[in-house]
Amino acid sequence: MALIRWNHTRDLPSWPSEVFGLQRDVNRMFDNFFRGGLQDDSTELSAWTPAVDIAEQKDAYLVKVELPGVRKEDVKITLESSILTIRGEKKQDTETATENYHRVERCYGSFQRSFTLPTTVKADRIEAVYKDGILNITLPKAEEAKPKQIEVKVK
Amino acid sequence: MLMRFDLPRTYDSLLDDVMRWDVRPTTRSFSPAVDVAEQENEMVVRMELPGVKKEDVKIVFENDVLTISGERKPYEIPDDAKVLLNEMRVRQFSRSIEFGPDIDAARISAGMDNGILRVILPKAEAARPRTIEVK
């Protein structure tokens, strides 16, 4: 088997994960400063940082975590005093013992992301579904946290 | 109620505007991470494509070059939802990987599982290792 030649002109640049990591850290700093309520408490313990999308609805938070190739059983979601933590490990999916790598760009190892939710959620009603490499977490808001409309009569 | 400022999207669109002024036409593409492993009888390419549907992926093998391209389409969010954090990238992607001439192009196969695209490129019969018995 011939060796793979790395061709500059053909191959798009693949940035090392540290560059993205740094960019993400800087973005996160900015985000935390501007974003009301939601706070990213991720620690630097992670070997890599999965991308996260969070949307707020009237009655729930929707959290999406990019976890391609991570097994369901290797993901742990916890909620402790309004801090949502998603942690786990991505294991290298070696198929045979005799595998030789020509290129390894994917990141492996443990990951962790934590967020402080701005409002209380129903801890016992949190649902998580893993599909196509994306973890979808739905956190229904607690009754007292839902927006209430009060009609004020003008006399 | 605090006002939520959608910085990531604002920042992105700002960046995109700047990119558009670039002399080269930008394709707004990204390069998904890829692993290439060699096994006894085949080469295996594993590419991270979370949230990408298999019908949105195109795989071409031409002149010993494997090209995987496609599009990551945005997912739907409810109309009343406010975006608090947006780190996922939705756009076109393309990667090309050059292989030696020993690939049996007719038998290349691909599958998608848990956000990982797996392309198997079998080695041509002549390139496979052979055990020779000493008589």
Side-chain angles (χ1 to χ4, degrees):
Chain A
M1 192 71 210
L3 281 171
I4 299 166
R5 247 178 302 146
W6 188 60
N7 191 328
H8 264 291
T9 51
R10 278 210 178 115
D11 213 333
L12 286 161
S14 55
W15 295 97
S17 58
E18 301 93 73
V19 176
F20 280 131
L22 181 71
Q23 188 196 358
R24 219 167 254 173
D25 286 347
V26 173
N27 281 348
R28 203 181 299 158
M29 252 163 60
F30 266 95
D31 292 351
N32 284 342
F33 186 74
F34 286 107
R35 205 181 312 121
L38 184 79
Q39 210 185 322
D40 190 344
D41 303 319
S42 304
T43 58
E44 298 309 312
L45 294 166
S46 320
W48 60 285
T49 313
V52 175
D53 277 10
I54 302 178
E56 182 183 4
Q57 271 182 284
K58 235 184 295 181
D59 51 3
Y61 290 100
L62 309 170
V63 178
K64 280 174 183 280
V65 190
E66 231 174 47
L67 295 174
V70 176
R71 273 175 295 189
K72 243 186 346 208
E73 52 270 29
D74 291 336
V75 180
K76 206 177 161 195
I77 307 162
T78 53
L79 182 80
E80 213 184 319
S81 54
S82 84
I83 299 171
L84 174 75
T85 302
I86 303 127
R87 64 160 72 86
E89 196 188 343
K90 178 155 63 167
K91 291 168 184 162
Q92 203 153 355
D93 39 6
T94 306
E95 287 158 36
T96 60
T98 55
E99 222 172 53
N100 289 318
Y101 283 93
H102 289 248
R103 190 189 286 256
V104 181
E105 292 172 2
R106 297 173 55 201
C107 303
Y108 299 97
S110 60
F111 62 88
Q112 180 175 333
R113 294 294 303 260
S114 294
F115 302 94
T116 305
L117 300 168
T119 50
T120 46
V121 295
K122 287 177 190 158
D124 54 334
R125 298 271 311 280
I126 298 170
E127 269 178 41
V129 179
Y130 181 72
K131 196 180 170 249
D132 297 335
I134 296 196
L135 179 72
N136 294 277
I137 312 168
T138 310
L139 305 106
K141 287 184 188 173
E143 287 306 324
E144 68 267 22
K146 289 182 188 170
K148 287 182 192 79
Q149 267 191 340
I150 302 154
E151 232 175 280
V152 181
K153 272 184 193 159
V154 183
K155 281 177 190 169
Chain B
M1 189 71 190
L2 279 165
M3 200 186 72
R4 302 237 155 82
F5 183 44
D6 183 10
L7 187 75
R9 285 222 164 122
T10 314
Y11 173 73
D12 261 12
S13 63
L14 215 96
L15 209 74
D16 287 343
D17 285 345
V18 175
M19 301 288 250
R20 241 171 257 139
W21 299 335
D22 200 316
V23 276
R24 291 167 300 160
T26 52
T27 47
R28 283 172 56 90
S29 65
F30 72 101
S31 300
V34 73
D35 283 1
V36 180
E38 179 173 356
Q39 293 177 3
E40 201 178 327
N41 295 322
E42 59 208 18
M43 302 293 288
V44 181
V45 174
R46 300 188 199 99
M47 181 182 270
E48 291 193 344
L49 294 175
V52 177
K53 293 190 189 91
K54 67 174 183 220
E55 54 267 31
D56 293 333
V57 179
K58 196 179 159 200
I59 305 166
V60 177
F61 189 79
E62 200 182 8
N63 300 329
D64 302 335
V65 176
L66 177 79
T67 302
I68 303 165
S69 60
E71 192 185 352
R72 182 173 178 186
K73 291 179 178 156
Y75 56 86
E76 277 178 34
I77 59 166
D79 287 339
D80 65 325
K82 272 179 285 185
V83 175
L84 301 186
L85 182 64
N86 175 225
E87 295 174 348
M88 291 188 195
R89 292 287 162 263
V90 284
R91 56 188 62 182
Q92 283 157 359
F93 60 85
S94 180
R95 284 300 300 264
S96 292
I97 302 157
E98 192 171 347
F99 287 87
D102 308 325
I103 298 294
D104 185 353
R107 288 173 53 230
I108 295 172
S109 62
M112 195 107 132
D113 188 33
N114 282 352
I116 304 287
L117 173 75
R118 198 163 158 271
V119 185
I120 298 157
L121 305 102
K123 291 183 196 172
E125 206 55 55
R128 294 186 185 185
R130 249 165 248 271
T131 314
I132 293 124
E133 225 176 284
V134 181
K135 283 179 185 163

